[in-house]
Amino acid sequence: SQTIHQWPATLVQPVGSPLSLECTVEGTSNPNLYWYRQAAGRGLQLLFYSVGIGQISSEVPQNLSASRPQDRQFILSSKKLLLSDSGFYLCAWAGLAETQYFGPGTRLLVL
Amino acid sequence: QKEVEQDPGPLSVPEGAIVSLNCTYSNSAFQYFMWYRQYSRKGPELLMYTYSSGNKEDGRFTAQVDKSSKYISLFIRDSQPSDSATYLCAMSFNYGQNFVFGPGTRLSVLP
């Protein structure tokens, strides 16, 4: 069966510091991968998606970036965090079944 | 008009009640419809997935899609306190990107 991992689970970072969140998927090949942000009490905002290694599409222009160095690894990064980057970051994968499966999420607090 | 709308709640019901959660959407090109359940501080988990119009039942849960009205519903029978969560509807056009999520409805089932 497929599983999706995210780490860290919780992160507290100062404004202006860098960020690296990692997502890995097991049990599937060539998945579509997604990064979402969920602000408190709000819906999911799609940040990036990837259909293959090195292929990244950005949905929202901001100071975040994403990379996919391996088939089942997706990384969300920032060079300098802003207060507005605080939120709950979710990684998801989709296969041929046309549905998305989410990871446990990373809660980021920028102070 | 937002692409997907959903009553934000919160919705409080007594244990054993029948719950109806609803979403409306504006784009008739959506073909795949999903319901996710999200417990506090956790990633969303897929509950139901349907293609095109019709009903689908899984235990106490029934998903209903009415494409002519651009309206989808999730019914929960014999609701339990463990059903207390935020419920997100989602829909997509085809394989890959273009998943669109509703903002979620927060449900509390009171014992």
Side-chain angles (χ1 to χ4, degrees):
Chain A
S1 62
Q2 300 85 8
T3 55
I4 178 168
H5 304 279
Q6 283 186 250
W7 62 90
T10 305
L11 193 58
V12 181
Q13 292 285 98
V15 169
S17 64
L19 173 75
S20 181
L21 303 181
E22 190 164 343
C23 170
T24 57
V25 181
E26 296 177 358
T28 187
S29 296
N30 196 31
N32 280 8
L33 295 173
Y34 308 82
W35 277 112
Y36 289 89
R37 177 169 58 205
Q38 188 176 37
R42 299 179 67 179
L44 294 169
Q45 178 188 31
L46 179 63
L47 301 175
F48 301 94
Y49 68 89
S50 170
V51 299
I53 295 174
Q55 301 178 63
I56 309 294
S57 295
S58 173
E59 291 292 307
V60 182
Q62 57 206 329
N63 69 320
L64 298 172
S65 62
S67 61
R68 184 170 178 174
Q70 300 179 43
D71 181 44
R72 288 169 288 180
Q73 184 184 30
F74 205 22
I75 297 172
L76 183 69
S77 304
S78 175
K79 292 182 179 178
K80 288 187 177 182
L81 283 169
L82 307 173
L83 286 173
S84 58
D85 291 324
S86 293
F88 190 43
Y89 288 83
L90 289 158
C91 180
W93 73 273
L96 295 176
E98 310 262 2
T99 57
Q100 288 192 352
Y101 298 91
F102 287 85
T106 294
R107 191 161 301 278
L108 172 66
L109 180 59
V110 182
L111 300 175
Chain B
Q1 181 186 10
K2 292 183 181 177
E3 200 161 17
V4 179
E5 302 204 42
Q6 191 175 359
D7 292 334
L11 178 63
S12 291
V13 301
E15 184 175 354
I18 297 174
V19 177
S20 172
L21 303 167
N22 309 296
C23 282
T24 58
Y25 61 94
S26 56
N27 195 326
S28 58
F30 287 126
Q31 296 286 341
Y32 301 89
F33 302 91
M34 292 140 280
W35 285 96
Y36 289 83
R37 177 175 62 196
Q38 185 176 21
Y39 291 115
S40 180
R41 297 178 174 266
K42 302 290 185 184
E45 56 177 319
L46 181 68
L47 269 182
M48 301 285 284
Y49 159 59
T50 53
Y51 170 71
S52 195
S53 286
N55 292 356
K56 185 174 183 179
E57 189 174 321
D58 184 2
R60 296 185 295 111
F61 298 90
T62 300
Q64 198 171 75
V65 175
D66 183 349
K67 289 192 70 182
S68 62
S69 302
K70 298 191 194 117
Y71 190 87
I72 68 171
S73 299
L74 178 70
F75 298 97
I76 306 175
R77 292 184 300 280
D78 188 25
S79 56
Q80 302 295 310
S82 58
D83 296 327
S84 298
T86 296
Y87 290 80
L88 303 162
C89 65
M91 43 204 76
S92 67
F93 306 110
N94 50 26
Y95 175 65
Q97 68 273 18
N98 299 321
F99 286 83
V100 180
F101 287 83
T105 297
R106 190 152 56 94
L107 171 68
S108 294
V109 180
L110 308 175

